[in-house]
């Protein structure tokens, strides 16, 4: 029995992330002139709309295929790479999973996107290694943040922003959003105050300083974001009050005025969608300063005993709405996307 338990524990500990998460094959997208075709493992693949996809087995050997058009044929050889998932073994298996990775080929991968162009001097195809085209001075984008309209954890808002480039690859953006519906978890019985809110987001970005994705169609950026959120909603609170040794129950309607000041360092990718539209996918981290105000509240946190009337909510029962009690500074992690149009 002891040996069985030991075997199970070792199997769990020595499981590698690439073994679990990587399949036997990987995906390679090939982009070139649409009149070209790719020959891979005796299969001929035309480049429809300038792209095709192959699914090679993960291997320590280089990836080899042939690309050709009416007059040029070139053999392409791509060296294998190490899958980034191998580094997940450090936090999840304390690095022991790397020992498992060394015993199989799932730790290998190939470059996901290959962009091939014709070298007219050598009369052959070559891999394009250049950077994405820079965004030009005076270029302007208009965008919205769809996730804000579906923010069930806070206050859903609709947004509109403008991004302007005063210099090549350097942009400044300003975004405004406003509440359009009742926040999730608010009670229609508490309509003592107007439910309203707005936010302002300002960002400074510099594009194409990095090129981690090695995709010339994608513009990467590093940025700094400052966001200021202000909204007010109704709340019905219940508590016990002691007055001259007499305890009695009180139910009070209050307004919650919530303020958030958020500052983030961000990394993002600008993906083109057609000729004029794009998706901005980003992540970042920073700090979040959260404060509350409760005008005309009669509840006294020092003497009254609050009853948690939100305890039946799985995600919304933390009573974060009292001035001076729930004010705090927190680590902030952001992950989201924007959808925009290039003017």
């Amino acid at each position: 029995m002891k040996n069985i338990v030991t075997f199970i524990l070792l199997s769990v500990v020595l499981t590698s992330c690439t073994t679990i998460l990587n399949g036997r094959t990987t995906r390679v997208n090939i982009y070139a002139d649409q009149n070209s075709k790719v020959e891979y493992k005796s299969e001929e693949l035309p480049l429809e709309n300038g792209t095709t996809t192959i699914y090679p087995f993960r291997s320590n050997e280089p990836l080899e295929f042939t690309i050709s058009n009416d007059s040029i044929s070139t053999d392409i050889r791509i060296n294998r790479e190490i899958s980034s998932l191998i580094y997940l073994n450090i936090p999840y298996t304390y690095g022991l999973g790397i020992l498992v990775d060394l015993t199989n080929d799932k730790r290998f991968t190939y470059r996901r996107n290959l962009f091939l162009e014709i070298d007219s001097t050598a009369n052959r195809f070559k891999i394009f290694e250049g950077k994405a085209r820079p965004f030009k001075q005076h270029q302007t984008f208009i965008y919205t943040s769809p996730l804000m309209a579906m923010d069930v954890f806070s206050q859903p808002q609709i947004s509109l922003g403008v991004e302007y480039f005063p210099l090549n690859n350097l942009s400044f953006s300003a975004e405004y959003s406003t509440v359009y519906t009742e926040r999730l978890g608010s009670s229609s019985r508490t309509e003592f105050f107007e439910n309203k809110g707005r936010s302002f987001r300002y960002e400074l970005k510099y594009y194409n300083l990095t090129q981690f994705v090695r995709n010339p169609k994608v513009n990467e950026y590093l940025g700094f974001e400052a966001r200021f959120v202000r909204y007010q909603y109704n709340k019905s609170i219940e508590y016990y009050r002691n007055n001259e040794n007499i305890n009695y129950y009180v139910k009070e309607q209050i307004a919650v005025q919530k303020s958030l000041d958020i500052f983030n360092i961000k990394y993002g990718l600008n993906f083109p969608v057609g000729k004029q539209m794009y998706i901005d996918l980003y992540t970042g981290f920073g700090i979040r300063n959260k404060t509350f105000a409760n005008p005309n509240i009669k509840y006294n946190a020092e003497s009254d005993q609050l009853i948690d009337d939100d305890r039946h909510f799985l995600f919304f029962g933390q009573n974060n709405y009292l001035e001076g009690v729930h004010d705090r500074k927190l680590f902030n992690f952001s992950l989201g996307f924007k959808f925009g149009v290039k003017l």
Side-chain angles (χ1 to χ4, degrees):
M1 183 66 180
K2 183 178 180 181
N3 292 335
I4 295 176
V5 173
T6 303
F7 175 78
I8 294 175
L9 291 175
L10 286 175
S11 299
V12 173
V13 173
L14 293 179
T15 297
S16 75
C17 294
T18 60
T19 300
I20 297 175
L21 301 177
N22 281 343
R24 294 183 61 196
T25 62
T26 185
R27 174 174 179 164
V28 177
N29 303 314
I30 301 173
Y31 300 87
D33 184 83
Q34 62 182 3
N35 295 321
S36 306
K37 61 183 178 181
V38 169
E39 296 179 19
Y40 176 67
K41 292 189 177 300
S42 303
E43 184 178 3
E44 188 174 283
L45 303 170
L47 273 73
E48 298 180 1
N49 299 319
T51 181
T52 190
T53 302
I54 60 177
Y55 298 89
F57 283 95
R58 299 179 186 273
S59 172
N60 191 30
E61 300 298 324
L63 171 65
E64 297 180 346
F65 63 88
T66 301
I67 182 168
S68 61
N69 60 17
D70 294 336
S71 58
I72 302 174
S73 179
T74 306
D75 295 328
I76 302 295
R77 181 184 174 95
I78 306 297
N79 290 329
R80 54 82 173 164
E81 298 179 354
I82 300 297
S83 173
S84 59
L85 293 179
I86 195 173
Y87 300 107
L88 288 178
N89 288 301
I90 297 175
Y92 288 106
T93 66
Y94 304 101
L96 296 177
I98 295 177
L99 299 176
V100 179
D101 287 332
L102 295 177
T103 65
N104 63 74
D105 286 344
K106 286 190 175 183
R107 69 185 185 277
F108 299 119
T109 188
Y110 300 101
R111 189 185 305 187
R112 174 57 62 92
N113 299 296
L114 290 176
F115 292 84
L116 304 176
E117 62 179 358
I118 296 176
D119 185 345
S120 57
T121 303
N123 198 32
R124 66 188 306 273
F125 283 93
K126 68 175 183 179
I127 299 175
F128 178 74
E129 299 287 358
K131 290 186 177 182
R133 294 181 179 179
F135 289 126
K136 298 296 185 180
Q137 185 180 20
H138 304 312
Q139 192 165 8
T140 304
F141 300 160
I142 295 178
Y143 66 89
T144 185
S145 298
L147 289 180
M148 294 182 65
M150 302 177 288
D151 188 2
V152 298
F153 296 101
S154 182
Q155 177 66 65
Q157 301 183 40
I158 54 175
S159 63
L160 184 66
V162 176
E163 184 173 356
Y164 174 75
F165 289 79
L167 299 173
N168 289 350
N169 282 327
L170 179 67
S171 75
F172 176 78
S173 61
E175 176 184 343
Y176 174 77
S177 60
T178 182
V179 168
Y180 72 95
T181 187
E182 188 179 72
R183 72 186 297 269
L184 186 64
S186 62
S187 174
S188 59
R189 297 171 302 170
T190 53
E191 298 177 349
F192 190 68
F193 295 94
E194 181 182 3
N195 183 24
K196 60 183 179 180
R198 66 187 187 278
S199 71
F200 302 89
R201 188 206 308 255
Y202 304 100
E203 291 184 82
L204 185 66
K205 302 177 183 175
Y206 192 83
Y207 286 83
N208 300 321
L209 182 64
T210 62
Q211 197 72 18
F212 295 122
V213 298
R214 293 184 294 185
N215 186 338
K217 292 187 177 182
V218 176
N219 294 85
E220 302 180 34
Y221 67 83
L222 298 175
F224 176 77
E225 170 194 60
R227 187 179 176 205
F228 306 96
V229 185
R230 305 288 184 269
Y231 53 80
Q232 174 179 286
Y233 57 93
N234 296 284
K235 187 73 180 177
S236 177
I237 63 173
E238 303 173 30
Y239 54 90
Y240 291 108
R241 169 165 291 173
N242 185 288
N243 188 3
E244 297 181 354
N245 296 324
I246 300 177
N247 289 320
Y248 58 93
Y249 167 84
V250 177
K251 184 174 184 179
E252 180 182 359
Q253 291 184 342
I254 66 171
V256 179
Q257 295 176 341
K258 185 176 181 179
S259 297
L260 283 173
D261 298 330
I262 303 170
F263 301 94
N264 283 325
I265 297 174
K266 299 173 63 175
Y267 167 79
L269 304 171
N270 186 295
F271 293 89
V273 180
K275 294 183 178 181
Q276 296 299 122
M277 295 180 291
Y278 70 91
I279 292 177
D280 183 333
L281 178 65
Y282 63 85
T283 185
F285 64 90
I287 59 172
R288 179 172 72 245
N289 184 34
K290 179 170 60 174
T291 58
F292 296 89
N294 309 115
N296 302 322
I297 190 173
K298 298 178 182 178
Y299 165 78
N300 187 336
E302 296 181 357
S303 59
D304 299 331
Q305 182 180 355
L306 186 68
I307 302 174
D308 184 2
D309 60 337
D310 275 345
R311 57 187 178 274
H312 54 284
F313 287 106
L314 178 60
F315 296 108
F316 308 97
Q318 299 181 6
N319 284 332
N320 290 330
Y321 49 76
L322 295 180
E323 179 178 358
V325 177
H326 298 117
D327 299 346
R328 63 190 62 182
K329 290 182 175 64
L330 301 167
F331 172 80
N332 188 74
F333 174 76
S334 64
L335 180 67
F337 75 95
K338 303 173 186 176
F339 179 76
V341 177
K342 303 175 183 178
L343 300 183

